[in-house]
Amino acid sequence: KEAFKDKFLIGAALNPAQFTEQNATQVTLIARHFNTITPENVMKWEKIHPAPDQFDFDLADRYVEFGEKLGLVVIGHTLIWHSQTPRWVFEDGKGSPASRDLLLARMSNHIHTVVSRYKGRVQGWDVVNEALNEDGSLRQSPWLKIIGEDYLVKAFEFARAADPKAELYYNDFSLENSAKRQGAIALIKKLKAAGVKVDGIGTQTHVRLQTPAIQDVEDTITAFGDLGLKVMVTELDVEMLPRRANSGTADISHREASSPELNPYAAGLPDSAQQELARRYGEIFAVFTKHADKIGRVTFWGVSDGDSWLNDWPIRGRTNYPLLFDRNNRPKPALDAVLNAARNAQ
Ligand code: 9MR
């Protein structure tokens, strides 16, 4: 955070062991290196609003209090998503799909309740998450099917009304894929035409060692910057392990069966791979620093390798190495590469 203090915020997604301070080593690491945080899971609908008349704010409150205690910029993730949303949300209580009016009323109630509770304390919200398909069309989610295309307009309107000063973002993965990026640009333009102000784009940036091409990472930042949006890199990590099908997706519904050759670094990361990771992080941060005028924040999806969702996706129980700190919370060569990118940009 010091190295990039004139450029953008540096963040991490946190889990409960971190923000409830059970993991003291990681609390020290978070305080030292990061100035913004995102809740990895505790603000998702199924956690914070598990039943129609039941909100469960315990962990979300602890998350926000932790951020305030350390003086961090606190981000909310996420209000409207097709995933991690209980079935009842989309049903009428009698086994049939909810009507448009019922679902809109639920959406309004959810957004107002959650956003109002943290008004002035959560500085920015991922309002809608992952609404697009890879070809740039709108995902056929229950939100779209039941409400129609204006569900996005409504979600942003409700969030704006609940906290007029919070920054509001549209968040998605694989925006480096040009077809999907064009879809996101079209979506932002439509929202604008409908009178909705979107403050920023959340480009998740779940990448691999070789793909996407660094030029596509750069084009993504400039495309959204040119639209007048703040670019937030919201979920950065670098996948180190092979996959059966190179689908290039971060879609959580995608799963693959396990096998030993797909877990090659269970005993440790060889130096050559460690250097490859450092090289990749170096080129990524060279692009980020070049376009620092467009970027508000760069958030890693986790603190240390052991915490990462990539140990369990798309294959469970693997040993992955996607972040800057190892399983013992020690800095990796990739951290030096990131710091070098900051120095080279001076
Ligand atoms: O890292 C998160 C993992 O712990 C959860 O099981 C999963 C499903 O809720 O979500 C992961 O985070 C996702 C994020 O919320 C949205 N973009 C993709 C992330 C990785 O799947």
Side-chain angles (χ1 to χ4, degrees), residues 74-103:
V74 177
I75 301 301
H77 171 85
T78 178
L79 295 170
I80 297 298
W81 193 18
H82 61 278
S83 188
Q84 309 302 111
T85 304
R87 288 242 312 263
W88 63 261
V89 174
F90 305 113
E91 292 174 353
D92 69 353
K94 297 172 210 129
S96 298
S99 66
R100 171 181 154 93
D101 285 350
L102 177 60
L103 189 53

Side-chain angles (χ1 to χ4, degrees), residues 21-331:
E21 303 192 41
Q22 284 167 50
N23 190 329
T25 311
Q26 287 194 326
V27 172
T28 308
L29 200 68
I30 293 160
R32 172 155 182 220
H33 292 286
F34 301 97
N35 46 23
T36 174
I37 54 175
T38 303
E40 186 175 0
N41 287 305
V42 299
M43 283 180 164
K44 290 173 181 173
W45 192 310
E46 70 174 10
K47 302 273 194 240
I48 209 167
H49 190 178
D53 298 319
Q54 185 199 339
F55 283 88
D56 183 352
F57 291 116
D58 289 357
L59 285 171
D61 285 357
R62 297 286 298 272
Y63 160 76
V64 174
E65 284 157 14
F66 175 78
E68 289 179 329
K69 180 174 159 189
L70 268 62
L72 311 172
V73 171
V74 177
I75 301 301
H77 171 85
T78 178
L79 295 170
I80 297 298
W81 193 18
H82 61 278
S83 188
Q84 309 302 111
T85 304
R87 288 242 312 263
W88 63 261
V89 174
F90 305 113
E91 292 174 353
D92 69 353
K94 297 172 210 129
S96 298
S99 66
R100 171 181 154 93
D101 285 350
L102 177 60
L103 189 53
L104 276 174
R106 280 198 182 128
M107 178 196 264
S108 168
N109 171 248
H110 178 78
I111 293 180
H112 278 103
T113 307
V114 175
V115 175
S116 305
R117 184 174 184 92
Y118 303 112
K119 186 175 178 180
R121 302 171 72 198
V122 165
Q123 278 100 325
W125 281 100
D126 290 335
V127 177
V128 180
N129 196 39
E130 304 174 3
L132 292 164
N133 293 315
E134 292 304 292
D135 68 0
S137 61
L138 279 180
R139 187 191 285 272
Q140 288 294 319
S141 71
W143 295 109
L144 180 68
K145 284 189 195 148
I146 297 173
I147 297 177
E149 258 192 69
D150 63 340
Y151 89 86
L152 289 120
V153 173
K154 296 291 181 192
F156 277 89
E157 284 176 356
F158 295 148
R160 183 69 72 198
D163 187 351
K165 291 196 184 133
E167 285 193 339
L168 305 182
Y169 316 121
Y170 173 71
N171 193 52
D172 214 330
F173 59 84
S174 295
L175 296 176
E176 298 81 17
N177 160 4
S178 144
K180 190 165 185 180
R181 191 190 316 141
Q182 295 316 314
I185 292 170
L187 174 62
I188 300 285
K189 286 185 175 164
K190 266 195 215 161
L191 288 169
K192 242 189 198 167
V196 168
K197 185 172 165 272
V198 178
D199 298 299
I201 184 86
T203 176
Q204 295 184 9
T205 322
H206 294 289
V207 298
R208 305 172 61 79
L209 269 181
Q210 308 293 344
T211 57
I214 195 66
Q215 187 64 53
D216 292 326
V217 175
E218 181 163 10
D219 291 350
T220 306
I221 296 166
T222 52
F224 291 109
D226 289 348
L227 276 184
L229 295 174
K230 266 196 202 176
V231 179
M232 304 295 180
V233 175
T234 49
E235 306 187 11
L236 179 62
D237 49 26
V238 179
E239 162 71 89
M240 295 296 288
L241 300 180
R243 244 189 228 182
R244 227 175 270 279
N246 194 354
S247 63
T249 181
D251 205 315
I252 201 75
S253 61
H254 179 81
R255 288 273 169 203
E256 293 176 18
S258 154
S259 102
E261 76 272 13
L262 294 176
N263 192 20
Y265 308 134
L269 193 63
D271 188 57
S272 57
Q274 195 73 263
Q275 296 312 322
E276 269 296 284
L277 178 68
R279 181 204 56 79
R280 181 66 161 160
Y281 265 114
E283 74 175 8
I284 290 170
F285 271 80
V287 165
F288 291 170
T289 52
K290 179 174 169 193
H291 296 290
D293 58 327
K294 303 171 189 69
I295 299 179
R297 153 168 69 94
V298 175
T299 294
F300 293 83
W301 204 242
V303 174
S304 303
D305 285 341
D307 314 320
S308 171
W309 72 294
L310 287 169
N311 294 305
D312 289 304
W313 184 89
I315 299 172
R316 278 187 215 285
R318 295 197 298 177
T319 310
N320 219 327
Y321 300 84
L323 298 166
L324 302 185
F325 297 92
D326 70 17
R327 286 175 164 66
N328 297 313
N329 298 303
R330 283 193 297 254

